[in-house]
Amino acid sequence: MNAIDLFAGAGGFSTGAQMAGCNVVWAANHWQQAVDTHAANHPDAQHVCQDLHQANWENVPAHDLLLASPCCQGHSKARGKLSGNPQHDASRSTAWAVVSAAEYHRPQFAVIENVPEFVQWSLYPAWRMAMEALGYCVAPHIIDAADHGVPQHRERLFIVATRSKHPLMLQFPLRDRVPASSFIDFDAGKWQPIEKAGRAENTLARIAEGRRIHGHRFISSYYGNERGGRSLNRPVGTVTTRDRHAIIDGDRMRMFSAQECRAAMGFPTDYQLPAQHRLAVHMLGNAVCPPVARDVINALKEAA
C-alpha cells in the first residue's frame, strides 16, 4: 500500500505507516528543518517544503492511503483562553488541504490525526460534509497512546475516512501499559541540585508534594495539572513541544533529554533527530506516535 503524508513533521505518521508495511512515497511540510529531518529518516520518499494551501496535487504520486496531521494549535484546549481564538483561523484552515488532496486523488483510505477538540471546531460539520461529498465515510476514534505500547498518556483523535458503504469503527489489540521507567537513564543527562538559587517557589512546592506521594524518585511537570508529580511506574504525561517533564532523583533533577522524549513518543532508538535539543523536542511534541499509527493502519487494512 502506497501512502502520502501531509504535514509530515518529523515523521511519526510515516514511521508508523512503514511499521504497518506501507510504502511512504511522498511527504510535505511547510518547515524546512522538519522536512530535512523527515528526509534523513525516510530517504526513499519524495519531499516537498511548502504551504499545503498552495499545493499542486497533480505533482503528488498516486497512493492508496492519505495520512494527514493538520495544525492542531488552533483547536487545542491546552491554549486556554486562546483556544478557538480567531487569530488561529489560518492554523485551523490547514484541514482543508486534506479535502483538496482527497478531491484530486480520491485514495481509498485517509487517516487524519488531530487533538480531540478538532470535532468541536465550528467548521468541522462543513469539513466532514465535504469529505462525505467526495464519497468518504468518516469514523472518528479517540485513542490514548498508552493503550498501544507507548510509555506516554497522549489522547488524540484519529479520523478514519474510507470509500466504503459504511464507516469503519476499528478494533485494536490490547497492549500492556509501558511505564516511564522503561526509558529514563539515571546515569545520563545534565543533573542540577534541586535546592539552588533562583529555583521557582512553585517548582519547589511541586517537588515537595511529589516527594510526599512518590518518594525520592518520580517525574515532576514544569507546567500543567500534575501538582503531585507522577510515579515512574506509570506512562509519562503528554510530551509537548517544549521541555515539560523533570526527573527527580533525591536532591538532584534534570529535564528529559531529547532521546528520552523520542522513546516516550515510541520512535525507534535509531531515529535521527536535530542536534539542537530545542528543535528536537519541538518536533517530537508535534509528532504522531508511530506505534499508534501502526495499529490504526493495521486495523484499517484488516477491516477493509
Side-chain angles (χ1 to χ4, degrees):
M1 181 183 289
N2 288 338
I4 66 169
D5 193 349
L6 279 60
F7 314 100
F13 230 156
S14 294
T15 302
Q18 286 189 331
M19 291 176 175
C22 296
N23 179 32
V24 179
V25 296
W26 184 90
N29 200 82
H30 69 285
W31 185 21
Q32 187 61 57
Q33 288 172 307
V35 173
D36 292 343
T37 298
H38 192 286
N41 292 283
H42 302 277
D44 295 332
Q46 297 180 37
H47 287 86
V48 176
C49 182
Q50 70 172 153
D51 176 357
L52 290 177
H53 287 103
Q54 309 299 324
N56 182 351
W57 302 112
E58 182 181 3
N59 296 329
V60 176
H63 52 278
D64 312 289
L65 172 63
L66 185 157
L67 306 172
S69 299
C71 191
C72 67
Q73 285 83 350
H75 303 287
S76 176
K77 64 182 178 182
R79 300 191 71 84
K81 292 181 180 179
L82 293 180
S83 176
N85 193 293
Q87 68 176 294
H88 297 298
D89 284 349
S91 163
R92 289 187 287 269
S93 72
T94 56
W96 293 105
V98 178
V99 177
S100 180
E103 180 182 19
Y104 188 91
H105 283 281
R106 306 294 176 99
Q108 187 66 27
F109 310 109
V111 181
I112 300 93
E113 182 265 359
N114 212 287
V115 292
E117 294 79 15
F118 180 77
V119 297
Q120 299 169 14
W121 177 33
S122 60
L123 292 181
Y124 173 74
W127 181 90
R128 178 169 182 154
M129 287 178 64
M131 292 295 290
E132 290 172 344
L134 296 177
Y136 290 93
C137 289
V138 176
H141 299 69
I142 303 294
I143 298 175
D144 186 348
D147 294 328
H148 295 262
V150 178
Q152 174 191 176
H153 283 293
R154 186 185 190 88
E155 278 200 346
R156 290 295 182 266
L157 169 72
F158 285 80
I159 296 176
V160 176
T162 55
R163 296 176 62 81
S164 56
K165 291 184 178 180
H166 305 286
L168 295 183
M169 296 306 299
L170 305 181
Q171 301 296 316
F172 302 109
L174 294 176
R175 300 188 186 276
D176 293 336
R177 293 281 174 92
V178 179
S181 59
S182 65
F183 64 82
I184 292 174
D185 185 354
F186 286 95
D187 296 324
K190 298 178 180 179
W191 295 90
Q192 296 181 343
I194 293 173
E195 301 288 343
K196 74 167 191 174
R199 185 78 73 195
E201 288 298 323
N202 285 342
T203 298
L204 294 173
R206 280 195 295 269
I207 293 173
E209 181 65 6
R211 281 187 177 132
R212 185 185 69 80
I213 299 171
H214 304 294
H216 71 285
R217 278 187 170 180
F218 60 95
I219 295 169
S220 181
S221 294
Y222 258 50
Y223 55 91
N225 297 320
E226 294 177 11
R227 300 301 180 191
R230 182 178 288 254
S231 169
L232 294 170
N233 296 320
R234 296 175 56 198
V236 72
T238 302
V239 171
T240 59
T241 57
R242 58 191 177 101
D243 287 328
R244 177 186 184 187
H245 299 294
I247 306 164
I248 309 301
D249 180 28
D251 60 359
R252 64 177 187 164
M253 65 182 293
R254 67 169 174 83
M255 305 306 293
F256 278 13
S257 68
Q259 292 71 33
E260 287 166 332
C261 289
R262 178 179 62 194
M265 289 293 295
F267 277 85
T269 56
D270 60 351
Y271 202 84
Q272 299 179 55
L273 297 172
Q276 187 177 351
H277 174 85
R278 180 184 61 82
L279 284 179
V281 171
H282 185 90
M283 289 184 191
L284 289 167
N286 266 336
V288 176
C289 293
V292 180
R294 173 203 63 203
D295 286 355
V296 170
I297 294 168
N298 277 335
L300 173 58
K301 290 164 65 177
E302 184 175 336

